[in-house]
Amino acid sequence: MNYPDLKKARLRTDNDVNVKEVKYDFDAIFKGKKYFLKTYGCQMNMHDSEEIRKYLEVLGFTETNQLELSDLVVLNTCAIRENAHDKVFGYLGRCKHLKREKKDLILALGGCMAQEEGVVSEIKEKHPYVDIVFGTHNISSLPQMILEHKEKEQNIEVYSIEGDVYENIKYSRDSKISAWVNIMYGCDKFCTYCIVPYTRGKQRSRALDCIVEEIEGLKKEGYLEVTLLGQNVNAYGKDLKEGYDFKDLLERVAKTGISRIRFVTSHPWDFTDEMIDVIAKYENIMPYIHLPLQSGSDRILKLMGRRYNKEAYLTLFNKIKKKIPNVSITTDIIVGFPNETEEDFMETLDVVHTCKFDSAFTFIYSPREGTPASHILDNVSLNVKEERLQRLNEVVNRYSLENNKRLENKIVKVLVLDENIKDKNKVYGYTETMKLININGGKESIGKIIDVKIVEAKSFSLDGEVI
Ligand code: SAH
Ligand code: SF4
Ligand code: F3S
């Protein structure tokens, strides 16, 4: 195995729950106890929750989806926008109430909010009933903190410096069919509005050999799909000086022969022609790219520190469309960044009209404490922000529907993931282009890639029939 920097790579061994002494009889302490795990935020957090779940299971806990039945509550939080933050504090209120009835309930808060400036002191002062606070750099401290929680009033361990690069982590994964695989931690881009480089630290790429080994293992276990995760996957390897980059990683992963490879998120600035060529070359690399635009105005893009302008984005977009047949491209857009004028917003709409994205996540700008943009006067009124968001969503949804309608009566390959929760006579899955599709049919197709005829297209999903 080739580790680029052994000092940085911390290896975990089988069933390593990272406790100081292995003298504990976990079964005697936690057997029969239940945990409730709630995850906010992006795929990165959902994948971290799969690590948390593994630790809790090794300790002897079993999962419950009912807060009221739990003995341990873990909130894995997100800090990307103010409303994410508010939701967590709202939920803490519910937990506080429950703790009044259930004195032994252990309440733990982890994730990006724990890393946010001021949150730890806010919890210390206003939420003394929270037992454990752990950060994104020390998820593996959680088992030890749970074991010790009674010894301390509040057990808080949040590292402000970025952690190691972890290899060989064990997960209790959500799915047996499709798996997330971290290829890097943190982010170096420091877009001026974004809190992620502060909550997740600087970029640290995992060793290429270790990633490939993990994926080979997943394939052996029967997984059909992997999604490579990173805040900026195209910058993979840049911090390692090992001479490999994202295209090399993609190529090695494609050669493992796993059926489907996806990756999020792509940053336009680091997207090279060679990467596009590799995506186009391998059939098992899915023709789907999430390519955040954020704004179509050069002036705002500069204020956001995004490192590309409208023309560069469009050039990249067109290259991808030309080289990768039937590719679908989705995006993220922020409206109401400080100083955004109607003209700036029209530039954003113009890019949407040109690109006709398959779909887009759209957000109202939310100032985050500690980020450079939070020092710029937030001078666009909430009314204007809301009105722009609504106008943008109308256009975005129109193109989503148009793109989807074009698929009607076509036959597509679908990886079927599970039963439809609302309708047991249906199953759902995703097309190669990452479109959600509900299919008439039984459970026998779950975990398979099947041909499906699209019978009806909507803005946010498709309906299909097995053929
Ligand atoms: N690493 C990814 C995105 C991470 S956050 C990238 O660079 O594209 C997901 C999305 O949240 C971002 O693309 C952005 O559109 C949005 N976002 C991030 N910070 C925000 C803020 N302060 N206010 C509103 N939206 C924000
Ligand atoms: Fe945030 Fe920018 Fe990094 Fe994405 S690339 S996580 S938006 S700083
Ligand atoms: Fe939120 Fe942290 Fe992801 S802030 S979006 S959970 S990296």
Side-chain angles (χ1 to χ4, degrees):
M1 185 69 59
N2 175 23
Y3 299 116
D5 181 351
L6 265 176
K7 281 190 295 273
K8 264 180 141 190
R10 201 205 284 181
L11 297 179
R12 304 261 177 77
T13 49
D14 253 351
N15 282 345
D16 181 355
V17 266
N18 218 41
V19 294
K20 282 182 200 145
E21 293 175 73
V22 207
K23 65 175 185 190
Y24 299 99
D25 176 1
F26 299 142
D27 270 3
I29 316 175
F30 299 115
K31 196 156 189 193
K33 302 272 185 208
K34 292 196 163 58
Y35 73 91
F36 175 84
L37 173 60
K38 191 167 170 66
T39 311
Y40 299 82
C42 62
Q43 288 102 326
M44 211 79 62
N45 248 25
M46 305 220 232
H47 190 38
D48 284 349
S49 281
E50 295 183 325
E51 183 184 349
I52 293 171
R53 182 179 294 132
K54 178 75 187 177
Y55 294 134
L56 302 181
E57 285 170 2
V58 174
L59 286 183
F61 286 94
T62 49
E63 188 163 15
T64 170
N65 55 12
Q66 280 174 275
L67 174 70
E68 288 70 22
L69 296 182
S70 62
D71 304 287
L72 165 68
V73 177
V74 182
L75 303 182
N76 191 11
T77 64
C78 168
I80 199 82
R81 284 167 290 273
E82 191 66 33
N83 58 357
H85 190 102
D86 294 346
K87 265 193 227 164
V88 172
F89 278 112
Y91 205 81
L92 273 183
R94 245 181 102 179
C95 298
K96 181 183 178 183
H97 192 73
L98 186 63
K99 251 198 115 156
R100 274 199 209 114
E101 294 160 20
K102 262 183 138 172
K103 290 273 176 288
D104 286 336
L105 180 75
I106 311 170
L107 180 53
L109 184 144
C112 287
M113 248 175 78
Q115 299 285 155
E116 226 184 318
E117 231 176 82
V119 167
V120 165
S121 34
E122 187 173 353
I123 289 174
K124 277 187 192 160
E125 282 162 29
K126 297 192 192 146
H127 306 275
Y129 55 90
V130 176
D131 301 289
I132 294 170
V133 184
F134 62 104
T136 56
H137 304 306
N138 64 320
I139 295 171
S140 57
S141 306
L142 183 62
Q144 185 72 35
M145 295 174 87
I146 292 171
L147 287 164
E148 282 174 355
H149 86 278
K150 280 195 177 142
E151 294 158 26
K152 296 181 185 165
E153 192 69 22
Q154 240 180 356
N155 200 352
I156 297 177
E157 195 180 299
V158 178
Y159 302 154
S160 56
I161 45 143
E162 50 267 17
D164 302 316
V165 176
Y166 296 113
E167 301 291 3
N168 202 24
I169 297 178
K170 299 286 183 289
Y171 298 98
S172 177
R173 297 183 188 269
D174 287 340
S175 162
K176 295 265 171 280
I177 303 162
S178 176
W180 285 305
V181 175
N182 267 338
I183 64 165
M184 64 215 288
Y185 299 93
C187 180
D188 273 351
K189 282 288 176 283
F190 287 94
C191 302
T192 58
Y193 51 83
C194 183
I195 201 160
V196 172
Y198 308 92
T199 63
R200 297 253 164 193
K202 291 197 84 174
Q203 175 174 317
R204 287 102 64 210
S205 298
R206 282 183 65 198
L208 192 144
D209 282 349
C210 295
I211 299 169
V212 172
E213 190 177 272
E214 182 177 344
I215 293 167
E216 279 166 348
L218 288 165
K219 188 177 168 232
K220 269 193 204 123
E221 279 179 53
Y223 280 88
L224 293 180
E225 181 175 83
V226 288
T227 302
L228 311 180
L229 286 184
Q231 288 299 348
N232 174 7
V233 288
N234 313 72
Y236 170 78
K238 280 190 163 184
D239 52 311
L240 290 179
K241 301 185 183 65
E242 287 291 300
Y244 51 65
D245 69 6
F246 186 55
K247 74 163 183 325
D248 303 308
L249 174 69
L250 268 182
E251 191 141 35
R252 282 280 303 278
V253 175
K255 284 180 178 162
T256 64
I258 191 141
S259 304
R260 286 185 163 198
I261 300 155
R262 302 188 182 281
F263 49 89
V264 274
T265 300
S266 294
H267 190 299
W269 198 69
D270 295 296
F271 219 126
T272 64
D273 288 0
E274 291 81 6
M275 289 172 197
I276 305 175
D277 291 339
V278 171
I279 299 164
K281 182 172 163 192
Y282 289 94
E283 278 209 348
N284 56 348
I285 304 180
M286 294 296 100
Y288 162 69
I289 293 168
H290 186 60
L291 192 68
L293 165 70
Q294 313 301 3
S295 169
S297 149
D298 289 350
R299 206 173 62 83
I300 297 297
L301 284 170
K302 201 159 191 188
L303 285 174
M304 288 176 161
R306 285 293 286 182
R307 307 177 192 206
Y308 54 83
N309 57 21
K310 178 181 176 184
E311 194 192 333
Y313 185 93
L314 290 175
T315 304
L316 174 65
F317 182 94
N318 289 328
K319 258 192 237 169
I320 294 172
K321 279 273 175 186
K322 203 170 143 207
K323 285 192 175 176
I324 308 173
N326 297 323
V327 69
S328 79
I329 303 182
T330 58
T331 199
D332 289 348
I333 296 169
I334 298 174
V335 298
F337 191 80
N339 293 310
E340 185 188 70
T341 61
E342 177 62 19
E343 287 72 42
D344 293 317
F345 176 65
M346 292 303 285
E347 292 282 338
T348 300
L349 282 186
D350 185 50
V351 178
V352 176
H353 284 302
T354 308
C355 296
K356 304 181 171 60
F357 295 106
D358 283 87
S359 81
F361 295 105
T362 55
F363 309 102
I364 285 180
Y365 167 70
S366 167
R368 307 310 293 126
E369 216 181 307
T371 60
S374 68
H375 303 297
I376 319 175
L377 184 68
D378 185 9
N379 56 0
V380 183
S381 74
L382 186 61
N383 266 350
V384 170
K385 284 176 180 165
E386 281 174 346
E387 182 244 2
R388 284 182 192 160
L389 185 72
Q390 203 187 340
R391 282 160 67 199
L392 176 62
N393 284 344
E394 263 168 40
V395 180
V396 160
N397 295 346
R398 190 179 346 127
Y399 288 121
S400 295
L401 185 62
E402 258 179 38
N403 282 317
N404 286 352
K405 280 279 174 209
R406 231 171 278 135
L407 294 173
E408 273 181 354
N409 297 316
K410 295 237 159 68
I411 292 164
V412 290
K413 294 218 173 298
V414 175
L415 171 58
V416 182
L417 291 179
D418 212 341
E419 269 183 349
N420 183 311
I421 309 170
K422 286 187 196 144
D423 185 346
K424 294 276 182 236
N425 296 318
K426 285 184 181 166
V427 289
Y428 76 88
Y430 288 89
T431 64
E432 294 190 325
T433 52
M434 196 63 192
K435 292 185 189 280
L436 172 66
I437 179 160
N438 290 302
I439 310 157
N440 276 326
K443 281 186 187 172
E444 62 286 347
S445 57
I446 295 173
K448 292 187 187 135
I449 295 172
I450 57 169
D451 287 329
V452 175
K453 183 176 173 190
I454 297 167
V455 289
E456 199 187 339
K458 301 167 189 161
S459 284
F460 306 111
S461 68
L462 306 168
D463 286 337
E465 265 169 14
V466 184
I467 55 159

